[in-house]
Amino acid sequence: MEKELQNKMALVQYMMQKKRKKEIKGEFDPTHGQGRILEALKNYDGISLRDLAYILDLAPSSMSEMLSKLEKKGYVTREIDEQDKRAQVIKLTDKAKSVEQENHHIEEDLFSCLTIDEQKSFGISLDKLVESLKIKLGYDDEKMLRKMNKVRG
């Protein structure tokens, strides 16, 4: 039974990724590369380069390279931090914000095939799996949040 459930979870994850890629408008997948940066900035607009690299678990040099590409395309700007003149603050442009809005609907209907009761029950089961895995992996809530942000982008 365990292997069967693992296979089903892997299949659902694969199909969700294919659905997302099929429905993405524009050039960025929010789960990979530059798309992860844009998704993180959606939640943390105006964050320092160092903090953004930490949240996404990326080396600052890799982050800087991807930001340069996003800056050339007009999706982000870098400004000097007013409190710390040595630090850069990364901000989304209006162009980047409009891309996010176009892709907002992608996974809205994912669970519509389940009744409200089935969705609640599924949510409870997922919560149990997450708690069990947190214990096995030695994750506290902060580390888990960082990892989730990395997976989401």
Side-chain angles (χ1 to χ4, degrees), residues 49-50 53-54 58-65 67:
L49 184 137
R50 176 198 266 160
Y54 177 77
L58 292 171
S61 58
S62 299
M63 176 71 64
S64 188
E65 181 181 337
L67 285 171

Side-chain angles (χ1 to χ4, degrees), residues 78-89:
R78 296 188 221 198
E79 301 173 8
I80 300 298
D81 187 343
E82 292 300 318
Q83 283 79 31
D84 181 357
K85 301 292 185 195
R86 299 168 295 163
Q88 291 181 345
V89 174

